[in-house]
Amino acid sequence: MRRDPLVPSVLVAVCLGLAACASGPDYRRPAIATPAEFRQQPPPGWKESQAGDRLPRGSWWTLFGDSTLDALAVQALKANNTVQAGDAALRQARAQLGQSRAARYPVVSGGLSASRSAGSVSETAADGTGDSVARESYRAGIDASWEIDLWGRIRRTIEAGEAQVQSAAADLENLRLSVIAQLASSYFDLRILDAQRQLLTDTVAAYERSLQLTRNRYQAGVVPRVDVVQAEVQWKSTQVQLIDIGRQRAMLESAIAVLVGRMPSNFQLDPVADYPGIPQVPVLPVILPSELLERRPDVAAAERAVAASSARIGVAQAAFYPVFNLTASAGLRESSLANLLSAPAWFWSPALNLLQSLFDGGARRAITEQARAAHEAQIA
C-alpha cells in the first residue's frame, strides 16, 4: 500500500498541538501589599483567613422562628425577579462553557447532494454544429473538521468560561443573601409598625376618652377652655401619627410584595393581633464577623472575574498566530443514482489547512490591549 505523505505531517501537527503551551499569562491571584506587622497585636487564636464562600448556609432565617417569614423567604427564592435574573445568568454562563468545551472536538456533518450540468461539445462537422452533453453527479458523504489548538486559544476560552461560571454562581448566592436579608429587615420593620399601630390605636382611644372627660369638666366649670384645646391637640396629634404609621406600613408591604415576586395590588400582610413581638436576635459568637467575611460570595465573585479576564488575554493573543484546521471528507460518489446505490465509488480526502491573518489594521493589537485593560480593571 502506498503511504500518504500527508499523514506524517498531520501526526506531527497533532502532537505539537497537544504539547503546546497556552498563550497568554497563567492566572495568579492578585498580590496585595501587606505590612510586616499590624498596629495592634492579633488576639489569641488568630489565624489567616480561608475562603469559605462555598460552605452551605442553610435556611438561616428560620432562626427567628417566624412561620410567616419562612413562607415569604421560600417565595422570594423562587419568584424574586432579581434572583431569577441571577439564575438565568448562571445558566447562560454554563451554556457558554459547554459551547467552549465543544470546540475541543471535531465537527462532523453528513449530507446528500445531486447535481446536473449541461454543455456543448464542438465537433468537426460540415455545418460546424456541436452536440449537447449533460452530466449528472451524486454524492453521499461525511465531512469532518477539527481545529488543532496549537496556541491554546480553546483552552484559554474554556478556562475563562469555568471562571465565569464560578463567578455567576457566587453572584447568584450573593443575590439570594441580599434579597432574603432585605426581606427579613422589611418584614420585621413592618411588624414593629404593627406593634406601634396597636399601641397608638389604644392611645387614641384613651385620649378620646380623656377629651370627653375634659369637655364634661369644662361644661361643669371645673377646668378652663385651654384644657379642652390641649386635650383635642393631643388626641388629633396621635391620630396623625397613626395615619403616618399606616402609610409607612403600606410602603413596606409593597416592598415585601416586590421582593417575593408579587404585585403590590394583590399582596397583603394582615396585622397579627396576638403577634408575640419582635423575636430576639440569636446570640452571635465573637469570632463570627471574621468568618462571615470569609464566606462573602461577592468577594469570591470578584476574584473569579479576575481569573476570567486573565484567561481572555490568552484568547486575544492567540489571534496573532496561524490557525490549523484538520479536515477530512469520505463517502460515495457516482455519475448515476443507480450506481451510487449498487456499485458506489468510495472517496477519502484528508487535508490540513493553515490560515494566518496578514493585515488587519491593528485590530488584534487593540483587542489584546482591551483584554489587558479589562483585567487590570478587575484587579483594581
Side-chain angles (χ1 to χ4, degrees):
M1 179 182 295
R2 188 175 64 89
R3 294 182 59 188
D4 191 345
L6 183 60
V7 174
S9 60
V10 171
L11 294 177
V12 171
V14 171
C15 293
L16 289 175
L18 295 176
C21 297
S23 60
D26 292 330
Y27 173 69
R28 292 181 177 84
R29 288 191 176 184
I32 300 177
T34 56
E37 59 181 9
F38 294 96
R39 179 177 300 178
Q40 297 178 350
Q41 294 297 324
W46 178 87
K47 66 178 182 65
E48 293 186 0
S49 62
Q50 300 292 332
D53 57 284
R54 297 185 181 181
L55 295 177
R57 293 167 176 82
S59 302
W60 54 268
W61 55 88
T62 58
L63 295 175
F64 296 103
D66 192 300
S67 59
T68 303
L69 176 61
D70 296 344
L72 291 174
V74 173
Q75 294 180 29
L77 292 177
K78 293 181 178 180
N80 180 267
N81 295 330
T82 304
V83 173
Q84 288 179 345
D87 181 72
L90 175 58
R91 288 186 282 111
Q92 180 183 4
R94 287 173 176 169
Q96 291 176 347
L97 176 59
Q99 180 181 359
S100 300
R101 287 174 173 172
R104 296 180 300 180
Y105 306 102
V107 177
V108 182
S109 59
L112 300 172
S113 64
S115 63
R116 178 183 176 87
S117 60
S120 61
V121 179
S122 60
E123 295 182 356
T124 58
D127 55 358
T129 60
D131 295 334
S132 178
V133 178
R135 293 183 178 88
E136 295 181 353
S137 176
Y138 297 89
R139 180 182 183 275
I142 296 177
D143 300 320
S145 63
W146 178 48
E147 178 182 346
I148 303 175
D149 194 22
L150 189 62
W151 317 114
R153 183 188 68 83
I154 297 177
R155 278 172 285 171
R156 289 301 190 193
T157 304
I158 295 175
E159 181 182 335
E162 291 173 346
Q164 191 62 40
V165 167
Q166 295 170 355
S167 178
D171 284 335
L172 176 59
E173 188 62 29
N174 186 51
L175 290 174
R176 289 171 175 168
L177 285 175
S178 300
V179 167
I180 300 302
Q182 187 176 358
L183 172 65
S185 177
S186 300
Y187 175 76
F188 289 130
D189 286 342
L190 183 140
R191 289 312 185 194
I192 290 174
L193 291 179
D194 284 342
Q196 292 178 351
R197 185 168 65 174
Q198 183 62 41
L199 177 61
L200 286 176
T201 300
D202 297 340
T203 303
V204 167
Y207 283 162
E208 186 177 7
R209 292 192 298 268
S210 176
L211 174 61
Q212 187 60 40
L213 179 60
T214 303
R215 285 174 177 173
N216 294 337
R217 298 181 65 187
Y218 169 71
Q219 293 175 358
V222 178
V223 296
R225 173 64 181 173
V226 65
D227 288 356
V228 177
V229 174
Q230 290 178 351
E232 289 180 350
V233 170
Q234 191 176 38
W235 174 56
K236 293 181 178 180
S237 298
T238 308
Q239 285 182 323
V240 170
Q241 296 178 21
L242 184 60
I243 294 173
D244 185 63
I245 283 182
R247 180 185 60 82
Q248 296 180 34
R249 189 186 189 280
M251 294 175 60
L252 287 173
E253 196 173 49
S254 298
I256 293 174
V258 174
L259 288 172
V260 299
R262 300 276 298 277
M263 293 296 294
S265 58
N266 301 328
F267 180 81
Q268 184 177 3
L269 281 175
D270 296 329
V272 183
D274 55 349
Y275 189 68
I278 305 302
Q280 296 293 328
V281 178
V283 178
L284 303 179
V286 179
I287 63 173
L288 191 58
S290 62
E291 293 183 358
L292 285 178
L293 181 62
E294 295 174 357
R295 298 177 62 178
R296 283 181 53 175
D298 55 336
V299 177
E303 189 273 333
R304 289 290 82 199
V306 173
S309 63
S310 175
R312 293 190 185 101
I313 297 177
V315 176
Q317 288 183 346
F320 284 94
Y321 307 107
V323 178
F324 292 87
N325 282 321
L326 181 63
T327 60
S329 299
L332 311 175
R333 182 167 51 199
E334 268 296 344
S335 58
S336 66
L337 182 59
N339 292 336
L340 182 67
L341 299 177
S342 59
W346 291 88
F347 70 91
W348 160 256
S349 176
L352 178 63
N353 303 318
L354 184 147
L355 180 62
Q356 172 64 48
S357 179
L358 300 179
F359 178 75
D360 60 3
R364 288 171 296 174
R365 188 176 302 277
I367 294 175
T368 304
E369 291 299 325
Q370 179 183 0
R372 291 186 181 277
H375 179 59
E376 293 175 0
Q378 289 289 348
I379 291 177

